[in-house]
Amino acid sequence: MRTFVSYVLIAWLCSSGLATAQVADLRSTTQFRVCADPANAPMSVKDGDGFENELADLFGQLLDRPVTYSWFPSGMGFITKTLRAGTCDVVMGYAQGDELVQNTNHYYTSVYGIVTRKDSDLASVDHLTDPALKDHPIGVVAGTPPATIMARAGLAKDMRGADLMVDRRVQDPVGDLLDGVRDGTLDAAVLWGPMAGPRIKDDPDLQFTPLLKETSGPKMFYRITMGVRPGEQEWKRELNSLIRRHQDEINAILKGAGVPLVDDYGKELLQ
């Protein structure tokens, strides 16, 4: 459905030069207007504690504009109700290649990984085809790329799924899986690094092991961009320039938050 809607919208936007001009005119030149989920910890949080909030503050400072937000739960309708509606101008974190937005250059690459207790028998596992994982309850968010590899590896009966599309104001699937590892009801959880890393960076009992050794698809690493409206080429170029010139500051925020960063090919951790 998201792909179908994006095709219809893009076709409409490209049907006339006037439509493109109208889209470009939506961007504010007095505020840095961010589209965000109010309860998508540790990324965006309405109280400003997320690392995407911190990144938004950085870009607001660089542009010398106050940061304002258009809040809406992530999932179906998020882009339509925020970016497309013209109430905001940028989504801080968006996977490269999604048709609903125009992507800037990526500003970080991260990876899925395995969360275990540090004293666990599974603490040394670093790939999903490791036989050691069999017959252990393992949490995974349903519909995410690792679930496919785990099923192919014969781990279907061991998987304990959590829902992907939820209202995070009332549900916290990643937090629930991490609690399961902490209390022993799960022996491991396979999670997206930016969601898991910041939550356990100060945890004395848990560790995150990135999945850098997977040899079959789907891939475990993804490049993260900012999302803007199709047709807003000048705005995209302005953000690209800021990303290029301030990459070290961006990396410092991400590393400080505990986000695992890898090279563009998902092969090595960046220190």
Side-chain angles (χ1 to χ4, degrees):
M1 177 61 73
R2 290 178 62 192
T3 301
F4 172 76
V5 171
S6 70
Y7 285 152
V8 172
L9 285 167
I10 291 171
W12 178 80
L13 289 169
C14 294
S15 64
S16 71
L18 178 59
T20 302
Q22 288 173 339
V23 169
D25 289 345
L26 294 177
R27 174 166 65 98
S28 173
T29 58
T30 60
Q31 303 172 64
F32 186 61
R33 302 191 306 167
V34 179
C35 322
D37 185 323
N40 196 23
M43 297 179 178
S44 63
V45 189
K46 198 167 187 178
D47 65 11
D49 283 344
F51 66 79
E52 287 182 354
N53 299 105
E54 192 172 354
L55 288 168
D57 289 341
L58 170 64
F59 276 76
Q61 292 168 14
L62 295 173
L63 292 163
D64 194 23
R65 299 173 194 168
V67 179
T68 60
Y69 285 92
S70 177
W71 300 109
F72 196 84
S74 57
M76 186 69 70
F78 174 73
I79 295 298
T80 302
K81 296 291 187 179
T82 57
L83 189 67
R84 295 284 189 172
T87 62
C88 48
D89 304 314
V90 62
V91 182
M92 294 306 297
Y94 216 86
Q96 191 178 63
D98 193 296
E99 300 95 340
L100 281 177
V101 305
Q102 177 181 204
N103 298 110
T104 65
N105 293 341
H106 67 283
Y107 64 95
Y108 76 96
T109 304
S110 194
V111 65
Y112 280 90
I114 303 176
V115 176
T116 60
R117 292 184 297 280
K118 293 176 180 178
D119 60 359
S120 167
D121 292 340
L122 302 180
S124 63
V125 171
D126 59 7
H127 57 287
L128 295 175
T129 53
D130 190 323
L133 290 173
K134 291 189 174 181
D135 300 320
H136 289 275
I138 304 169
V140 63
V141 178
T144 57
T148 299
I149 296 178
M150 293 169 68
R152 291 173 181 168
L155 299 174
K157 66 180 180 60
D158 304 311
M159 293 163 60
R160 306 293 185 267
D163 291 334
L164 174 63
M165 304 299 285
V166 300
D167 185 342
R168 290 176 175 82
R169 294 171 297 180
V170 294
Q171 291 180 265
D172 183 14
V174 171
D176 292 343
L177 293 180
L178 291 175
D179 286 343
V181 178
R182 289 189 183 98
D183 65 25
T185 56
L186 296 174
D187 288 340
V190 182
L191 298 167
W192 175 229
M195 292 296 293
R199 290 176 180 241
I200 70 165
K201 73 182 184 74
D202 297 320
D203 192 304
D205 301 318
L206 300 186
Q207 67 177 25
F208 178 90
T209 304
L211 292 168
L212 304 177
K213 299 182 179 181
E214 299 304 322
T215 57
S216 61
K219 65 183 182 180
M220 293 291 97
F221 67 97
Y222 292 88
R223 298 171 181 174
I224 303 302
T225 73
M226 297 179 194
V228 301
R229 282 176 287 270
E232 295 186 331
Q233 297 299 326
E234 182 180 346
W235 180 220
K236 182 183 75 171
R237 286 193 292 268
E238 186 173 1
L239 291 172
N240 282 343
S241 177
L242 291 175
I243 291 169
R244 183 180 65 255
R245 290 185 285 122
H246 298 276
Q247 188 65 63
D248 289 345
E249 294 159 82
I250 293 170
N251 287 351
I253 289 172
L254 293 168
K255 290 178 181 178
V259 176
L261 303 179
V262 297
D263 65 24
D264 287 348
Y265 305 99
K267 298 299 183 183
E268 297 181 8
L269 276 176
L270 301 183
Q271 302 300 322

